[in-house]
Amino acid sequence: MVTPNIRSLLASKEPVQDVTVQGWVRTRRDSKACTFIELNDGSCLRGLQVVADNALACAELYPKILTGASVRVTGDLVASPGGKQAFEVLAKNVEIVGESDGTYVLQKKGHTPEFLRSISHLRPRTNLLGSVFRVRSRMAFAIHKFFQEQDFFYVHTPIITSSDCEGAGEMFRVTTLPQGSAAKPEEDFFGKPTFLTVSGQLQGEVFACALSKIYTFGPTFRAENSNTARHAAEFWMIEPEMAFYDLEADMGLAEANVKYLLKALFETCGEELEFFNKFVDTGLIARLQHTLDKPFQRVSYTDAVDLLIKSGRKFEYPVEWGQNLQSEHERFLAEEHFQSPVTVFNYPRSLKPFYMRQNDDGRTVAAMDVLVPGIGEIIGGSQREERLDLLEQAMAAHGLSEENYRWYADLRRFGTVPHAGFGMGFERFLMFATGVSNIRDVIPFARTPGHAEF
RNA sequence: UCCUGAGUAGCUCAGCGGUAGAGCGGGUGGCUGUUAACCACUAGGUCGUAGGUUCGAACCCUACCUCAGGAGCCA
């Protein structure tokens, strides 16, 4: 039996005879002649009010309809005399599909995100997490639309890899050898050391140098012992890679990508946005609208350093050309100076991995980071070094073996082309889009140091 | 990993040296087209764990655990 979801019923313009609706009870209120059940099936934020008369044969069940129970209701969708909803279901019959009891912990009142994290199996039933995960799904779809509409091909890069996207971070080892085994890597399952991928970029470049424009969108893994609200050991990343793109075009695509997603957000998640704006972050909608309306700011790393020095602001970490921009610096740029997302480009060569394209000044590379207010970096990218001699120099300087990266150098040996790409942290984007301040609350089941529940 | 703060009822919190409290949630009863419904009664606690100080510790001290915020690393 397939029954209409609550979203479609609430969208109705007129009464409907004989509907069946199923969902979970959010709350029940008794009245003299009837009981009111607020039903939610996750199809949308709002619930459906069910009015069940005490004269019905099923009335004896009402006391057992506690918060969290699943029920099936048949009745008519009618105009509601109550002020808070246009339509409600006047029940002819109510069945309990699955009971709940007084130990069900979710209440109609608010819960802290910290508590909800401890019940990840129940939290999708809350307004907050339900909204987050509806948004997550729609944004994932919008990402595919954005790239597919521009003739990008979706490439499935490997999860298990033997190559290290140098500079991306610590890797999780994948092995079938018993714990503490003294066996050599050659005796392991793959005959060599293997890891969970930290990035699909290098393999993405392979496909960009064949299909021209590609993107990956999948899980990536970092074994960093990072304990912050912005880091997870398992997260999803979007990584486009484009042949015949320079840094300028790369930055343009990154900015267009963010704007496209925000547009889709406003079009498909209006109800959820209103909810976040009310209960999570009261400045959210204004900030997102502002981001959508105005062009992203761009500033070179060198100009950004000047700007920070001239700001007169006292920073905990000194600002000096050649040093990484610290969180406080990035925050100053995005939140105070530009008050909008800002793309910082042309970073010192010494700070960046081997594959980034050397600029003519000899001391910077064609790298870029997109910084957004409140989150910091959500996108990092670069034009890749397409000149074989310079790539080999860079690999040597980073102590990488020519043997392991021969396939990567081959892309430059045979029909090399300028190309570029970037990586966007999907959860980072979701935090920006929802105002939710902890990455653990935009991932269904978060994996962080010390935690891999469920 | 480092710094700071916090752990009291199922949940959110008050109490901060002298008999363990409220709201919500649960139970019982009442009222009512209700909508964070309302009113009354009721059950529910080794005050994170282990030590210590004190006549007496939820409260002060120490260690550990957990969580949060900030930092580093990054997406």
Side-chain angles (χ1 to χ4, degrees):
Chain A
M1 177 175 57
V2 177
T3 53
N5 65 22
I6 287 172
R7 179 184 175 81
S8 65
L9 288 175
L10 289 175
S12 181
K13 295 278 187 287
E14 53 196 26
V16 183
Q17 295 275 307
D18 294 316
V19 297
T20 300
V21 59
Q22 309 185 87
W24 292 271
V25 173
R26 282 293 177 80
T27 181
R28 196 189 89 245
R29 296 174 293 273
D30 292 321
S31 187
K32 186 177 187 177
C34 55
T35 195
F36 296 88
I37 300 165
E38 193 185 327
L39 206 59
N40 187 287
D41 67 356
S43 61
C44 59
L45 178 62
R46 293 176 54 207
L48 179 67
Q49 175 160 281
V50 173
V51 185
D53 199 284
N54 291 346
L56 292 174
C58 59
E60 62 180 18
L61 294 176
Y62 298 167
K64 294 169 84 173
I65 301 176
L66 299 182
T67 302
S70 51
V71 299
R72 179 183 302 124
V73 177
T74 55
D76 299 327
L77 187 74
V78 301
S80 174
K84 299 213 173 182
Q85 59 279 319
F87 287 96
E88 64 189 19
V89 165
L90 199 54
K92 292 170 181 163
N93 187 46
V94 179
E95 302 167 60
I96 297 176
V97 177
E99 287 186 24
S100 181
D101 66 23
T103 63
Y104 186 69
V105 293
L106 291 177
Q107 299 172 23
K108 186 152 67 168
K109 291 189 110 177
H111 293 284
T112 59
E114 294 79 35
F115 171 66
L116 293 175
R117 261 170 239 154
S118 72
I119 50 165
S120 284
H121 57 305
L122 296 174
R123 69 176 186 166
R125 298 188 189 188
T126 63
N127 287 337
L128 176 65
L129 278 299
S131 295
V132 164
F133 294 124
R134 279 188 295 275
V135 169
R136 185 177 171 116
S137 170
R138 290 174 191 146
M139 289 298 98
F141 182 61
I143 282 161
H144 285 293
K145 271 188 74 185
F146 173 77
F147 288 113
Q148 295 283 341
E149 283 171 1
Q150 299 180 68
D151 295 330
F152 280 71
F153 295 100
Y154 180 31
V155 175
H156 298 118
T157 51
I159 304 293
I160 299 171
T161 176
S162 60
S163 65
D164 175 3
C165 192
E166 186 257 6
E170 291 297 310
M171 303 178 87
F172 286 104
R173 182 75 187 274
V174 175
T175 179
T176 54
L177 294 174
Q179 203 168 22
S181 166
K184 295 190 172 70
E186 296 77 51
E187 300 167 57
D188 203 348
F189 187 89
F190 293 107
K192 59 169 77 168
T194 49
F195 309 89
L196 294 178
T197 184
V198 291
S199 166
Q201 181 200 313
L202 300 187
Q203 296 94 337
E205 286 185 53
V206 169
F207 273 76
C209 292
L211 306 185
S212 287
K213 295 198 289 186
I214 67 95
Y215 68 105
T216 73
F217 182 20
T220 45
F221 308 87
R222 304 277 167 92
E224 300 287 347
N225 187 18
S226 292
N227 290 287
T228 81
R230 292 175 296 283
H231 290 84
E234 177 181 310
F235 63 100
W236 282 56
M237 191 151 63
I238 299 107
E239 295 184 284
E241 194 71 34
M242 298 75 66
F244 310 107
Y245 267 50
D246 60 10
L247 186 70
E248 174 81 15
D250 194 35
M251 292 192 286
L253 185 75
E255 292 158 2
N257 187 16
V258 171
K259 290 208 174 200
Y260 183 96
L261 294 180
L262 291 182
K263 193 158 170 283
L265 180 71
F266 278 108
E267 285 167 2
T268 64
C269 304
E271 217 173 43
E272 284 80 10
L273 275 180
E274 294 287 344
F275 177 82
F276 297 137
N277 199 61
K278 192 170 174 186
F279 293 106
V280 178
D281 176 356
T282 52
L284 178 70
I285 289 179
R287 187 166 63 247
L288 295 177
Q289 192 67 57
H290 180 256
T291 304
L292 192 54
D293 293 343
K294 296 185 71 174
F296 279 37
Q297 304 292 316
R298 285 188 197 172
V299 62
S300 72
Y301 168 89
T302 302
D303 288 346
V305 167
D306 279 350
L307 197 153
L308 286 163
I309 290 170
K310 286 179 182 151
S311 74
R313 177 66 61 95
K314 199 163 159 34
F315 293 108
E316 190 185 338
Y317 290 84
V319 183
E320 191 188 341
W321 201 97
Q323 296 296 307
N324 263 313
L325 295 180
Q326 304 292 322
S327 284
E328 56 177 345
H329 307 142
E330 297 184 347
R331 186 166 289 158
F332 177 82
L333 292 173
E335 293 173 13
E336 295 187 51
H337 186 82
F338 293 108
Q339 296 188 9
S340 84
V342 53
T343 307
V344 181
F345 61 96
N346 287 348
Y347 280 82
R349 186 176 150 196
S350 58
L351 298 177
K352 295 294 184 181
F354 75 97
Y355 51 74
M356 294 190 176
R357 189 180 196 277
Q358 200 181 124
N359 287 323
D360 293 341
D361 63 13
R363 61 176 199 162
T364 64
V365 289
M368 62 98 170
D369 285 349
V370 177
L371 315 176
V372 299
I375 314 290
E377 183 181 345
I378 61 168
I379 290 175
S382 68
Q383 185 173 342
R384 321 306 186 188
E385 184 55 79
E386 86 281 11
R387 297 160 294 188
L388 182 61
D389 53 334
L390 288 169
L391 181 69
E392 284 177 338
Q393 282 173 26
M395 282 167 53
H398 283 80
L400 302 177
S401 91
E402 230 171 276
E403 178 76 21
N404 287 350
Y405 288 89
R406 184 163 195 86
W407 61 273
Y408 188 71
D410 266 358
L411 302 175
R412 281 76 179 167
R413 223 168 256 127
F414 308 111
T416 192
V417 291
H419 61 289
F422 63 81
M424 176 165 81
F426 187 39
E427 287 79 12
R428 292 265 177 96
F429 171 78
L430 289 173
M431 292 168 71
F432 180 60
T434 61
V436 168
S437 59
N438 196 307
I439 198 168
R440 297 168 183 84
D441 300 325
V442 296
I443 302 179
F445 301 98
R447 273 82 181 92
T448 53
H451 297 278
E453 312 307 321
F454 304 94

